[in-house]
Amino acid sequence: DLIAGDFVKEQPFTIQQTARSRASYKSRDVLLIGSDFGAQTMTQAGFPRTIREWVRGTDIQDAPVVFEGEPSDISVASYIDDERVRGGGIYEVRARILTN
């Protein structure tokens, strides 16, 4: 809570699994998150492959996928770059191609 300068105590965002997770606030009550949500949600490198939009107070498994990379990507991530200027979220794909 930016106004109170404290963590939100009612319905906090909490993930139970240990995973290479990445998260970014879209708003006070919406989190963009990449984590291990089961089959096909991680890249071959073991990083998040999908980004979900998780609304406070809902089950993380019910959060809709808003971006999806390829299994061969290194990872995907998301962040907000001032919606008033840019028009919304930015989704980043990190890919690497190795050749001989």
Side-chain angles (χ1 to χ4, degrees), residues 13 18 34 36 38 49 51 54 66-67 74 78 86 97:
F13 289 108
T18 303
D36 185 352
R49 186 171 79 88
I51 301 296
W54 185 17
V66 294
F67 185 81
I74 299 300
S78 62
R86 305 276 186 211
I97 299 170

Side-chain angles (χ1 to χ4, degrees), residues 30-68:
V30 179
L31 195 67
L32 297 172
I33 184 165
S35 190
D36 185 352
F37 296 105
Q40 307 300 316
T41 63
M42 302 295 277
T43 65
Q44 293 165 352
F47 292 95
R49 186 171 79 88
T50 61
I51 301 296
R52 294 180 183 225
E53 189 172 284
W54 185 17
V55 176
R56 186 183 305 281
T58 65
D59 189 315
I60 194 169
Q61 293 297 333
D62 295 334
V65 173
V66 294
F67 185 81
E68 185 171 346

